[in-house]
C-alpha cells in the first residue's frame, strides 16, 4: 500500500458513526429494516438486543415496529452467520449473507452434530438416521404450522434423546438432540424463529418452515457483503473485516480486491473505504512520511489503543467534527456498532474494557457520546434505567445521556431486560 494515501483520523471516523449508524437524532429512521441495513444486520444471539439496538435508532421506538418486521411481514430473518453469531438481516440481504457466510457455517455445524451424535448420543446415529429424523421434523412442523422444539419432539421421539457435552469435564451437560437439530435446520435455511412464547425478551421460540434462500455465487456474495460492510463501517482495516465476517485472510483480501476498495491511512496503519468514500477533509500524507503503527499523525489523534487524544479535545468525546450534531446513545450488549471492529482504540479506552466486557469478549450495555464509549448502563428490578460514566463527560453529555435514559425507560415501560452476557459494570449498576 502506498505511503501517499489519504489519511482519515479517529475524529473523522467517530463523526461518521452518528450519521451512518443512525445514532444522531436527525439520522434516526421510521423503519426497522432501514436500521438493519444501516448496520448490516442486528445481533440476535440475545433476543432483546434486536429490539434495543433497533429502538435506539428509531424516531419512534417501540417493540411493535420490530415485531412487525420479524413476525408479521417477515422482512427480517435471523441467520447463524458472521463469526458463528445469529444476525437479523433484511430479506434483501439474506441471500448475500447465506451464500457468503451462513451456508459454510451450516455445513460445519452439521458435521459437528453428526460427530457428537455418533460419539455421545444414547442411541446409534449415522447420516442416514439424521436425514430421516430431519425429514420427520420438517413434516411435523409443516403439519402444525409452527411449533416449539418440545412440541415437535412429541411427534418425533428421537428428538428427546440426549447427547453428553464436554464429557469428563466439570461443566459436562446433557442436551437433547432436538435442541441442536432444530437450530441446525434453521442455519440450513429450512426453519425460522416465530414470535416467542411470552414477552419479546423470551428465548422460547416456535419454529416454522421458510422458503429456501436463493443461491448466489459465493465469491460475488462475499464481495457484496464486504462492500456493504465497508460502506457502513469504513474506514476499517483488513483485520477488522476478517474478524467481523469470520472469513479467511484469502477470502477477505479477495473480497476487498473484487470491490476495488480504496486504500487509506488510519492511526493503526493501512485501511480501506469503498471507492470514493474518502472524506473531503482527509489529508494526504507528505512525501516520505511514515505510516507504520505508532507514528504520529498530523492532528495529534491517537495512533494506538490508549494513546492520548488531541490537545483541546475532551477525553469523553469532545465536540463532533464541525457540521455534525452532538449525539448520545444507550446501546445494548452486543450492539453491532460496539462490536463492529476488531481494533477499537479509536472509540473505546482500553482501561474501560474490563468493566464493559465479560470474560468471553462480549460487550455489555454501553453509553456513547459523540462516537466514543464513555460508560455503561443497566435496568434495575424496579424498571429504573441507570448509567455511569467511566470518565468526565461534562454537562452537555450528562444532559444528553440522561435524556436518552428517559427515552429508553419510556418505551420499555413494564418490560425488564437482563442481558444474556452480563458484565461487571452492568451487574454493579443493576444491584
Amino acid at each position: 500500500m502506498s505511503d501517499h494515501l489519504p489519511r482519515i483520523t479517529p475524529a473523522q471516523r467517530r463523526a461518521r458513526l452518528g450519521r451512518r449508524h443512525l445514532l444522531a437524532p436527525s439520522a434516526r429512521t421510521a423503519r426497522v429494516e432501514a436500521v438493519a441495513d444501516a448496520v448490516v444486520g442486528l445481533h440476535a444471539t440475545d433476543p432483546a438486543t434486536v429490539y434495543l439496538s433497533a429502538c435506539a435508532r428509531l424516531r419512534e421506538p417501540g417493540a411493535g415496529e420490530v415485531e412487525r418486521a420479524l413476525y408479521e411481514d417477515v422482512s427480517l430473518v435471523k441467520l447463524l452467520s458472521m463469526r458463528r453469531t445469529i444476525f437479523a438481516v433484511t430479506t434483501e440481504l439474506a441471500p448475500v449473507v447465506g451464500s457468503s457466510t451462513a451456508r459454510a457455517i451450516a455445513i460445519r455445524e452439521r458435521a459437528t452434530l453428526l460427530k457428537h451424535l455418533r460419539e455421545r448420543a444414547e442411541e446409534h446415529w449415522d447420516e442416514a438416521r439424521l436425514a430421516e429424523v430431519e425429514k420427520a421434523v420438517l413434516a411435523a412442523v409443516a403439519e402444525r404450522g409452527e411449533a416449539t422444539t418440545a412440541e415437535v419432539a412429541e411427534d418425533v421421539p428421537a428428538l428427546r434423546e440426549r447427547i453428553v457435552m464436554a464429557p469428563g469435564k466439570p461443566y459436562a451437560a446433557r442436551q437433547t438432540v432436538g435442541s441442536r437439530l432444530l437450530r441446525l435446520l434453521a442455519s440450513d435455511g429450512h426453519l425460522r424463529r416465530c414470535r416467542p412464547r411470552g414477552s419479546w425478551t423470551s428465548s422460547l421460540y416456535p419454529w416454522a418452515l421458510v422458503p429456501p434462500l436463493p443461491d448466489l455465487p459465493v465469491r460475488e456474495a462475499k464481495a457484496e457483503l464486504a462492500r456493504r460492510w465497508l460502506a457502513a463501517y469504513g474506514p476499517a482495516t483488513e483485520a477488522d473485516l476478517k474478524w467481523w465476517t469470520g472469513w479467511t485472510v484469502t477470502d477477505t483480501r479477495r473480497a476487498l480486491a473484487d470491490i476495488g476498495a480504496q486504500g487509506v491511512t488510519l492511526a493503526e496503519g493501512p485501511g480501506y473505504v469503498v471507492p470514493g468514500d474518502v472524506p473531503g477533509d482527509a489529508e494526504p500524507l507528505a512525501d516520505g512520511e511514515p505510516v507504520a503503527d505508532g507514528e504520529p499523525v498530523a492532528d495529534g489523534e491517537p495512533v494506538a489503543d490508549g494513546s492520548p487524544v488531541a490537545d483541546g479535545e475532551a477525553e469523553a468525546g469532545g465536540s463532533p467534527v464541525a457540521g455534525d450534531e452532538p449525539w448520545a446513545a444507550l446501546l445494548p450488549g452486543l450492539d453491532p456498532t460496539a462490536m463492529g471492529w476488531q481494533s477499537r482504540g479509536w472509540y473505546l479506552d482500553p482501561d474501560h474494557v474490563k468493566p464493559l466486557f465479560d470474560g468471553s469478549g462480549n460487550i455489555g450495555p454501553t453509553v456513547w457520546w459523540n462516537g466514543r464509549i464513555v460508560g455503561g448502563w443497566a435496568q434495575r428490578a424496579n424498571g429504573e434505567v441507570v448509567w455511569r460514566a467511566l470518565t468526565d463527560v461534562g454537562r452537555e453529555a450528562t444532559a444528553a445521556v440522561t435524556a436518552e435514559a428517559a427515552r429508553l425507560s419510556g418505551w420499555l415501560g413494564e418490560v425488564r431486560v437482563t442481558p444474556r452476557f452480563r458484565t461487571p459494570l452492568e451487574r454493579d449498576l443493576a444491584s
Side-chain angles (χ1 to χ4, degrees):
M1 188 174 288
S2 170
D3 286 353
H4 303 286
L5 297 175
R7 173 175 38 216
I8 302 178
T9 68
Q12 291 167 324
R13 296 179 75 181
R14 292 192 292 269
R16 293 178 169 214
L17 289 184
R19 299 187 305 272
R20 298 195 177 188
H21 288 203
L22 311 184
L23 292 167
S26 66
R28 291 171 184 158
T29 186
R31 304 279 287 185
V32 71
E33 294 90 347
V35 173
D37 278 341
V39 292
V40 200
L42 295 163
H43 277 263
T45 303
D46 185 338
T49 295
V50 177
Y51 290 81
L52 294 167
S53 291
C55 287
R57 297 164 169 89
L58 290 174
R59 287 196 291 269
E60 297 182 7
E65 167 61 13
V66 184
E67 290 178 329
R68 174 197 60 76
L70 284 172
Y71 308 123
E72 295 169 17
D73 296 347
V74 196
S75 52
L76 286 186
V77 295
K78 294 182 179 181
L79 296 174
L80 183 66
S81 49
M82 289 72 73
R83 298 193 316 284
R84 200 172 162 273
T85 297
I86 300 175
F87 280 81
V89 301
T90 59
T91 49
E92 177 196 2
L93 184 60
V96 172
V97 172
S99 296
S100 68
T101 308
R103 186 169 299 118
I105 291 174
I107 291 171
R108 293 196 296 271
E109 291 289 303
R110 177 174 298 280
T112 298
L113 176 58
L114 187 57
K115 181 176 184 292
H116 288 168
L117 288 170
R118 283 170 167 162
E119 296 175 354
R120 304 173 185 176
E122 297 168 329
E123 302 293 337
H124 171 73
W125 285 82
D126 56 18
E127 291 187 37
R129 187 182 183 208
L130 179 59
E132 179 185 348
V133 171
E134 286 179 316
K135 183 178 180 180
V137 166
L138 295 176
V141 174
E143 178 67 24
R144 288 176 175 264
E146 66 175 54
T148 64
T149 301
E151 289 167 344
V152 177
E154 295 175 5
D155 303 324
V156 187
L159 297 183
R160 297 197 291 267
E161 295 178 25
R162 295 186 177 272
I163 310 171
V164 179
M165 303 305 297
K169 304 290 186 180
Y171 48 86
R174 290 162 60 85
Q175 296 182 351
T176 64
V177 171
S179 66
R180 299 284 300 276
L181 182 53
L182 270 77
R183 288 200 300 268
L184 174 62
L185 287 169
S187 68
D188 251 343
H190 297 297
L191 298 177
R192 68 174 178 87
R193 294 166 176 82
C194 302
R195 191 187 300 270
R197 305 283 171 87
S199 77
W200 53 262
T201 62
S202 171
S203 295
L204 182 58
Y205 291 102
W207 304 91
L209 298 184
V210 63
L213 293 174
D215 280 330
L216 302 178
V218 173
R219 182 167 176 172
E220 292 178 17
K222 287 182 183 294
E224 177 61 12
L225 185 62
R227 185 192 66 78
R228 291 192 184 221
W229 181 85
L230 201 58
Y233 292 84
T237 67
E238 174 190 295
D240 289 329
L241 177 58
K242 176 184 179 298
W243 176 83
W244 187 84
T245 57
W247 294 342
T248 65
V249 171
T250 298
D251 283 340
T252 303
R253 290 177 177 172
R254 183 184 293 125
L256 288 169
D258 285 347
I259 64 173
Q262 182 176 352
V264 296
T265 297
L266 304 177
E268 58 265 43
Y272 296 92
V273 295
V274 293
D277 195 31
V278 176
D281 55 351
E283 300 178 9
L285 287 177
D287 289 349
E289 185 177 355
V291 296
D293 290 353
E295 291 293 331
V297 293
D299 62 358
E301 286 291 329
V303 298
D305 291 355
S307 298
V309 295
D311 292 343
E313 185 178 5
E315 178 66 22
S319 299
V321 170
D324 284 306
E325 63 184 305
W327 59 272
L330 272 65
L331 300 183
L334 296 179
D335 184 84
T337 300
M339 295 290 288
W341 299 264
Q342 183 182 50
S343 178
R344 302 171 179 139
W346 57 278
Y347 65 91
L348 173 64
D349 187 326
D351 290 338
H352 299 163
V353 169
K354 187 174 181 179
L356 291 173
F357 285 75
D358 71 4
S360 299
N362 300 303
I363 198 168
T366 51
V367 173
W368 292 68
W369 174 240
N370 289 340
R372 275 201 178 100
I373 296 175
V374 297
W377 65 273
Q379 186 185 37
R380 291 180 174 160
N382 64 1
E384 181 185 10
V385 173
V386 293
W387 65 280
R388 180 184 301 163
L390 296 173
T391 188
D392 182 11
V393 297
R395 285 177 295 185
E396 182 185 12
T398 297
V401 174
T402 300
E404 284 302 301
R407 180 173 180 265
L408 175 59
S409 294
W411 77 262
L412 282 177
E414 298 299 316
V415 175
R416 301 294 177 263
V417 179
T418 301
R420 176 171 294 182
F421 305 104
R422 306 197 68 184
T423 57
L425 181 57
E426 187 274 330
R427 287 182 182 274
D428 185 40
L429 288 171
S431 63

